[in-house]
Amino acid sequence: MTDQGSHGAGHPLETDTPFLAWGAGFKHWKETIPLLDNGHVLELDRQSIPVHHINQADAAPLMSAVLGISVPKNSLGRLPRSLLNVSEEYAAWAMRNNADQLLAQYYRWQQESEGKMLQWLTSTRQTSLKVLIEALQTEIADAMHRKRYTEVQSLCKMLIDTTLKAIEYFQCYYKPHLYVALTLTMMGWLLLLAKETIAPSKNRVFVHSRSVASTAAIVALFVVIFNMGMQRTLLSTQKGLTNLLSLQHNTHRLW
């Protein structure tokens, strides 16, 4: 809140909040190295202290990892592995715990969304995300069985990022379709008003009914064509993700 009493805006000076953590499970600040794109250095008592930037949601999986408990079921945060001073085995468990919690949300969103959406609206991206998530789960289980904990952490990070994208996909699934439908509807309505203003028709009821039906048919046809175009475009994305996962799998096997 600002000095004037307002709730402020989106400037970092008003949205950034200090987050201090110390104790067992956390690295000493001298051992942590912030990422170049989201970290800076704080000068304090003639010492340069690295400052890490984390999202507010990341605090939940971080505290859960330190306490050794499950992540809250509705959390959408990512575990900042670089802040933990734990063994690779424990870090692998914590990362997988974070991934499993997000997967539970993904399955819930998937079940609810698929129960509402029409079958012909199912896009290729939905299928590609599902295939990639299943493949990553298989890779993680295999790496855990072989006790390759560093590899497990890397795969869990990929799984977390992919699962968050899948959750966002289901949350915003109907957005492009609604945008297209609303835009075409408003354009059709404006054209109808312009036509009636310039040249009013005698049989208004018949003309209005025919115009509304024509507009609805055009909107439905455009949505179908739009969805088919998305499926063709995202098909190449699915193949690319599958090839990338296969390449990474082979690379891990070589090393």
Side-chain angles (χ1 to χ4, degrees):
M1 181 173 289
T2 62
D3 296 335
Q4 290 75 20
S6 65
H7 289 285
H11 194 274
L13 293 177
E14 299 177 271
T15 57
D16 286 356
T17 303
F19 182 83
L20 305 178
W22 69 93
F26 291 103
K27 284 185 178 180
H28 193 274
W29 63 266
K30 294 182 179 180
E31 301 176 358
T32 60
I33 302 177
L35 299 178
L36 296 178
D37 57 344
N38 67 349
H40 61 275
V41 176
L42 174 65
E43 299 295 337
L44 183 64
D45 294 336
R46 298 181 180 180
Q47 291 183 332
S48 299
I49 302 177
V51 179
H52 297 259
H53 282 185
I54 63 174
N55 295 323
Q56 184 178 8
D58 299 339
L62 177 61
M63 291 186 290
S64 299
V66 174
L67 296 175
I69 60 177
S70 300
V71 182
K73 64 178 183 179
N74 292 323
S75 172
L76 294 175
R78 297 179 175 90
L79 175 62
R81 167 66 180 91
S82 60
L83 300 181
L84 295 178
N85 182 24
V86 295
S87 64
E88 296 297 333
E89 181 179 1
Y90 186 86
W93 171 85
M95 292 289 291
R96 191 172 186 181
N97 184 31
N98 189 188
D100 290 341
Q101 175 266 336
L102 291 172
L103 281 173
Q105 295 189 66
Y106 161 71
Y107 291 135
R108 179 177 60 84
W109 276 102
Q110 183 184 37
Q111 183 179 5
E112 293 182 358
S113 300
E114 290 181 349
K116 297 177 182 178
M117 67 179 60
L118 300 176
Q119 292 297 326
W120 61 273
L121 287 177
T122 303
S123 67
T124 307
R125 185 181 181 187
Q126 177 183 346
T127 305
S128 64
L129 289 172
K130 182 178 180 180
V131 171
L132 182 58
I133 287 175
E134 292 176 352
L136 285 171
Q137 287 181 287
T138 303
E139 290 288 320
I140 291 173
D142 180 68
M144 284 292 292
H145 179 71
R146 298 175 181 271
K147 297 183 179 181
R148 297 179 176 178
Y149 300 120
T150 304
E151 181 181 347
V152 170
Q153 297 174 47
S154 177
L155 291 171
C156 284
K157 185 179 183 302
M158 292 180 59
L159 180 58
I160 290 172
D161 295 338
T162 305
T163 305
L164 287 174
K165 291 180 181 179
I167 293 175
E168 182 181 4
Y169 165 78
F170 283 116
Q171 290 176 339
C172 306
Y173 182 83
Y174 291 106
K175 181 182 292 185
H177 302 86
L178 289 176
Y179 281 166
V180 172
L182 289 174
T183 301
L184 292 178
T185 302
M186 292 303 299
M187 291 178 61
W189 178 246
L190 291 175
L191 291 175
L192 178 61
L193 291 178
K195 178 180 178 298
E196 291 298 320
T197 302
I198 297 174
S201 60
K202 297 180 180 179
N203 191 359
R204 294 180 180 274
V205 177
F206 175 74
V207 173
H208 288 182
S209 301
R210 185 174 59 183
S211 301
V212 172
S214 301
T215 303
I218 293 174
V219 170
L221 179 62
F222 190 87
V223 170
V224 172
I225 296 175
F226 177 77
N227 189 74
M228 293 175 62
M230 288 182 60
Q231 290 182 355
R232 293 180 179 179
T233 303
L234 294 173
L235 181 60
S236 59
T237 305
Q238 178 187 6
K239 294 180 180 179
L241 291 174
T242 304
N243 294 335
L244 177 62
L245 182 61
S246 177
L247 178 61
Q248 184 182 17
H249 174 76
N250 295 332
T251 303
H252 287 310
R253 289 291 181 267
L254 291 175
W255 288 101

